Amino acid sequence: MWVSTLWFVAMLIHDSHSLYERVTEQVSVELSGFHICYSLLNGTHQTGCQSDQDGNIGIILYYEDIRLIQHFDEICVDDGSCNNFIVVIKFDHLNEKSVELLRKSPVVKGMIVIERYASRGKPLSEDAASPNEQWSAYLDDPQWNAKHAIHPHGLRFLNWNKPIFHVSNESDVKILLNSCYKKFNEDALTVRRIQPPYCYAKLTSFMLSAGDAETCTRRETLFGGFSQSSTHLCDPVQDENVIGLVPPMEINETGRADVFLLSSRMDGFSSFTTDSGGDVSILTSLIATLAVGEAIGQKMEKFGKAARENRRHLMFGFFNGESLGYIGSSRAVWDIQNTAFPASFKKEFRRNVRPINLTDISIIMELQQIYARNDRTYFIHTDWDSYTAKKDLVDSVVSTVRNSSGMVKVEYRNPSPDSRVPPASCHAFLKANSTIPCVVVSSFDSEFNYNAINSMSDRIEPRDRKELALQVTAIASSALYASLGFVYNVDNVEDLKTEYKINSSYVDKLVECFVFAENWHTCELFKELLENSRDYSTGEKRVYTGTGSGYINIVKTLVGMLLVQAIGTTKPTKNVTSADQCNSLNLQQNVYRYVWMFDGSRNASFCYQSSTYLTTARSPAFDIEGYDWSSLQYSTWVESVWQPPKLTLFLVSDDWPAAVCLAVIVLIASAVLVWRVSEDWFESGPVRNDAAL
């Protein structure tokens, strides 16, 4: 027995370095409460984060002082003594200086971001100083977000070429900071020397694509030619737009139609795919626009009669992919130019919706960033060229907005040749037709006031619930009466205010569900809507567009259902008693959409008829043969496919005798003990065999 033991130990010593690698890979603990930063590619370059295929390893270093990183960088450059670090950093410690240091540092092999909220004064936006500048309708787009961008080029749009994880689980954060860094690394690293043992992290988030979107899609095609199975390397960022048109237009209606387009974006982003916040960037304006639909739906027969008499229409446009180059709105414009919006003509159908033309769109209004935290002041933005083309119409809409905003103040500067609209869906329309007026109502004037646009920190505090609902109701009212004035073809809407009103209870319900429900399945209204849908078991609050490859866009689904309920009706389908019977009504026609849906107020499911449409939100660049990928006409963003990510912690001793002893202890202990992975994993003396990589 002793001979066998001595032989075993001798074998361990003989190959100590390979043993060291095996032990560190077997004696470890894996954390699970994280989100990863992933790679996006467009027609010219790659952005985002990725690890080596086998992961990136480094000593855990908590970022408190930029000089500590600079110290280890200098040692690495001066004498070639390069230690590898995984830096743990609070989100609000990211700024242009720290980001550039961490991104270019030769010793920083990865990062773990913790926390997500900070004081209101700190820049927390992961978007660029000039969002969507490449796809702007202007050559000299102002830097609307310069004051609040973490990095002027956008934190999300930097090429890190190293992995970054966001750890949101509080117990995992305690393990990182208390049980790992403070127990083993802090004393040695803060005096700027390396002394074992120390706590390591391994970040694995390997991306399958590289280069740019054109290269990735070409490789997919090439690999597909050699194999019968498809090889996914990247997928276009895409989903669907939700469109409502009241009243609908049928193919036999001739002549120009006057359309008031009330638009809102449905998406936002963070550097971390499933952790995108979105309260002010997206959700508040969604709620206001849906509230307009609900108010009109309550008087749909009266509204429809006036609209037909005046040959005017109200279109609701909820566009997807807007934060990444106006994907949804630019596709809508492309479809319009190809007579395929909101649906293509089908000669086999007995009823067809009439595709609209760009000249049918009389004016576009968009609501943005509804949350004036300080003084309830909002601002109207217009575009000079389109204003001069239709001055009377714009003046009438602006006047109605200002006189119908209730408890909030709406300011408006007289347009001048320098007048620009901020980043908005109407940029896609202005690029196609510069005479379409665009009116944007927002909580900012010449620059964003909110400090967390397109950020995982974009969350509104629960204490602001009542104030938020008040402001959403007020801005929704201004949009309601502006659209009614257009459809009724009147400048004075005072009489209409007695007939149509924003339902404050409806706004309260949507605010509670969209903004303050951490998991959208915990909201009773959304739970009812999703009950008969596909599997939305995650219910996670997220506003990223996705790629359609296994990603379920819950925002799009909820908005689509809420709009159907708002402007739809069950009167024509009162004899329909099943989902199959309801769905069959969608055959041979595309004027209406029939949806089987649960109605909580009646505690039963019904077949809704509505003139709502789900249209493609996919950049035309992917459907135009021979498209020039380097042009900026359309967005070309694709998302890399990645291997399953891992975040692993383990202890390392610097000398091989310690490694051998550690190995012997672990091998003997593991034969008789099974320990639970928990926060006190690091507190039990020797490292335990809790989880293998």
Side-chain angles (χ1 to χ4, degrees):
M1 177 178 179
W2 286 106
V3 173
S4 299
T5 303
L6 289 173
W7 175 84
F8 176 65
V9 172
M11 292 297 293
L12 293 176
I13 296 173
H14 176 72
D15 197 6
S16 61
H17 289 292
S18 61
L19 169 67
Y20 170 85
E21 293 179 358
R22 290 197 300 271
V23 168
T24 56
E25 289 186 359
Q26 293 178 8
V27 184
S28 58
V29 58
E30 289 188 12
L31 305 184
S32 58
F34 60 79
H35 302 281
I36 69 165
C37 169
Y38 56 101
S39 289
L40 287 176
L41 304 88
N42 63 20
T44 58
H45 63 284
Q46 176 176 333
T47 72
C49 317
Q50 62 178 339
S51 73
D52 296 336
Q53 188 164 6
D54 295 327
N56 289 26
I57 299 176
I59 303 168
I60 291 288
L61 170 62
Y62 181 53
Y63 180 98
E64 292 181 284
D65 188 341
I66 195 171
R67 291 173 294 180
L68 188 58
I69 304 293
Q70 291 171 333
H71 168 75
F72 288 117
D73 277 350
E74 290 171 0
I75 293 176
C76 179
V77 173
D78 292 343
D79 61 17
S81 178
C82 301
N83 293 285
N84 294 338
F85 295 98
I86 301 295
V87 173
V88 179
I89 185 170
K90 291 183 178 180
F91 185 65
D92 67 356
H93 284 175
L94 294 173
N95 53 55
E96 184 177 2
K97 187 174 181 179
S98 65
V99 163
E100 285 302 306
L101 174 69
L102 294 166
R103 191 166 69 97
K104 297 176 180 178
S105 169
V107 301
V108 176
K109 300 303 177 182
M111 292 164 52
I112 298 173
V113 177
I114 59 174
E115 301 185 2
R116 67 188 303 169
Y117 305 111
S119 64
R120 291 180 174 180
K122 289 199 172 185
L124 298 174
S125 172
E126 298 175 55
D127 210 335
S130 183
N132 274 341
E133 181 179 21
Q134 302 94 318
W135 299 278
S136 171
Y138 311 116
L139 297 176
D140 54 344
D141 211 23
Q143 293 195 335
W144 299 90
N145 195 34
K147 183 178 177 181
H148 302 299
I150 293 173
H151 191 283
H153 298 307
L155 185 71
R156 181 66 192 89
F157 303 115
L158 299 175
N159 186 13
W160 287 85
N161 201 31
K162 59 186 68 174
I164 305 179
F165 284 43
H166 174 238
V167 174
S168 54
N169 184 289
E170 290 185 7
S171 61
D172 285 350
V173 172
K174 289 180 180 178
I175 291 175
L176 279 168
L177 295 184
N178 299 333
S179 303
C180 178
Y181 172 73
K182 290 183 179 179
K183 185 174 179 63
F184 294 99
N185 299 354
E186 183 177 30
D187 291 341
L189 296 180
T190 52
V191 295
R192 302 184 182 183
R193 60 188 176 87
I194 305 298
Q195 177 179 328
Y198 34 80
C199 182
Y200 259 79
K202 179 177 181 180
L203 307 184
T204 306
S205 58
F206 181 66
M207 304 289 149
L208 300 184
S209 63
D212 53 53
E214 181 182 14
T215 301
C216 184
T217 54
R218 186 173 64 245
R219 286 175 178 170
E220 274 197 350
T221 303
L222 179 63
F223 292 158
F226 290 108
S227 173
Q228 292 183 348
S229 61
S230 61
T231 302
H232 273 313
L233 302 177
C234 56
D235 296 298
V237 176
Q238 62 180 344
D239 201 84
E240 291 177 314
N241 301 318
V242 177
I243 306 298
L245 181 62
V246 287
M249 292 187 288
E250 296 206 43
I251 197 68
N252 56 4
E253 296 183 36
T254 59
R256 182 180 180 274
D258 283 333
V259 177
F260 185 111
L261 172 54
L262 182 60
S263 69
S264 181
R265 53 184 275 198
M266 284 195 293
D267 69 287
F269 62 75
S270 164
S271 299
F272 307 93
T273 180
T274 55
D275 204 356
S276 48
D279 286 1
V280 177
S281 302
I282 301 100
L283 298 177
T284 56
S285 53
L286 280 183
I287 295 168
T289 309
L290 287 167
V292 173
E294 196 272 345
I296 288 174
Q298 295 299 314
K299 303 284 185 179
M300 185 56 75
E301 290 185 8
K302 184 179 181 66
F303 178 87
K305 182 176 182 294
R308 289 186 173 89
E309 287 176 353
N310 294 294
R311 292 185 56 81
R312 294 194 167 193
H313 303 261
L314 173 59
M315 177 180 287
F316 296 92
F318 296 92
F319 296 114
N320 224 328
E322 297 302 275
S323 61
L324 293 173
Y326 306 124
I327 293 173
S329 56
S330 65
R331 179 55 183 247
V333 171
W334 191 70
D335 285 343
I336 290 172
Q337 292 170 329
N338 288 276
T339 62
F341 187 87
S344 299
F345 174 78
K346 303 288 186 183
K347 63 180 180 180
E348 67 272 18
F349 283 4
R350 56 183 175 80
R351 295 181 71 184
N352 270 280
V353 65
R354 200 207 90 174
I356 69 168
N357 304 310
L358 281 175
T359 54
D360 292 331
I361 301 175
S362 296
I363 191 168
I364 302 171
M365 174 181 282
E366 181 167 331
L367 310 178
Q368 283 194 7
Q369 301 182 30
I370 304 177
Y371 184 44
R373 289 189 292 203
N374 299 323
D375 56 5
R376 294 184 183 176
T377 301
Y378 285 78
F379 301 87
I380 296 175
H381 307 265
T382 56
D383 168 80
W384 174 250
D385 289 341
S386 59
Y387 171 77
T388 55
K390 295 184 179 179
K391 179 180 181 299
D392 291 343
L393 174 58
V394 176
D395 286 343
S396 175
V397 168
V398 167
S399 176
T400 302
V401 169
R402 298 192 68 192
N403 293 325
S404 307
S405 55
M407 299 292 291
V408 305
K409 179 182 179 182
V410 179
E411 295 188 352
Y412 177 61
R413 288 197 178 98
N414 290 327
S416 71
D418 294 328
S419 295
R420 301 283 188 272
V421 290
S425 298
C426 60
H427 277 254
F429 290 87
L430 288 172
K431 288 171 71 174
N433 184 344
S434 61
T435 66
I436 299 176
C438 178
V439 175
V440 175
V441 182
S442 71
S443 59
F444 58 87
D445 187 12
S446 58
E447 61 181 5
F448 290 173
N449 285 331
Y450 189 63
N451 67 326
I453 293 300
N454 288 327
S455 169
M456 65 177 177
S457 287
D458 182 7
R459 297 291 178 94
I460 299 175
E461 297 175 5
R463 67 186 181 190
D464 294 333
R465 180 183 282 105
K466 289 184 178 179
E467 178 63 26
L468 174 63
L470 182 150
Q471 293 188 30
V472 170
T473 301
I475 296 301
S477 295
S478 68
L480 169 65
Y481 297 123
S483 59
L484 286 172
F486 174 85
V487 170
Y488 277 79
N489 197 16
V490 296
D491 292 327
N492 190 331
V493 297
E494 292 305 312
D495 291 341
L496 296 174
K497 290 181 179 180
T498 61
E499 292 284 341
Y500 299 86
K501 293 184 183 297
I502 294 294
N503 183 346
S504 60
S505 296
Y506 182 75
V507 171
D508 290 342
K509 189 181 297 185
L510 293 189
V511 165
E512 187 64 34
C513 289
F514 268 124
V515 177
F516 296 110
E518 279 298 319
N519 185 302
W520 282 337
H521 272 169
T522 63
C523 160
E524 191 62 30
L525 172 61
F526 290 178
K527 186 177 180 180
E528 292 171 353
L529 290 174
L530 297 173
E531 184 176 356
N532 294 323
S533 303
R534 294 180 296 167
D535 182 18
Y536 292 95
S537 56
T538 62
E540 191 174 20
K541 178 180 178 179
R542 56 191 184 188
V543 295
Y544 174 57
T545 300
T547 63
S549 298
Y551 180 89
I552 299 172
N553 191 317
I554 301 182
V555 173
K556 183 275 305 285
T557 300
L558 289 171
V559 169
M561 291 180 170
L562 289 166
L563 188 62
V564 166
Q565 284 192 336
I567 65 174
T569 178
T570 59
K571 291 179 180 179
T573 56
K574 60 183 179 181
N575 294 324
V576 176
T577 58
S578 70
D580 289 341
Q581 188 181 3
C582 182
N583 291 333
S584 69
L585 298 176
N586 291 308
L587 303 175
Q588 300 301 311
Q589 66 85 32
N590 60 14
V591 176
Y592 293 101
R593 189 161 69 101
Y594 294 87
V595 181
W596 185 257
M597 197 181 307
F598 185 81
D599 182 353
S601 64
R602 293 183 282 179
N603 197 31
S605 293
F606 299 91
C607 184
Y608 281 83
Q609 178 200 70
S610 69
S611 50
T612 64
Y613 313 90
L614 299 178
T615 71
T616 301
R618 168 187 167 98
S619 172
F622 300 106
D623 296 318
I624 297 174
E625 187 174 353
Y627 179 76
D628 180 4
W629 291 82
S630 63
S631 78
L632 298 177
Q633 183 178 5
Y634 297 114
S635 171
T636 52
W637 287 114
V638 299
E639 177 188 303
S640 175
V641 175
W642 62 79
Q643 294 180 348
K646 288 185 179 181
L647 195 171
T648 310
L649 303 180
F650 51 87
L651 296 180
V652 171
S653 177
D654 201 35
D655 57 318
W656 66 263
V660 172
C661 292
L662 179 61
V664 172
I665 292 172
V666 171
L667 290 170
I668 294 174
S670 63
V672 294
L673 296 175
V674 177
W675 287 335
R676 176 174 56 88
V677 177
S678 66
E679 180 178 343
D680 51 25
W681 180 81
F682 286 97
E683 308 292 341
S684 303
V687 179
R688 305 200 308 255
N689 187 13
D690 284 304
L693 280 174

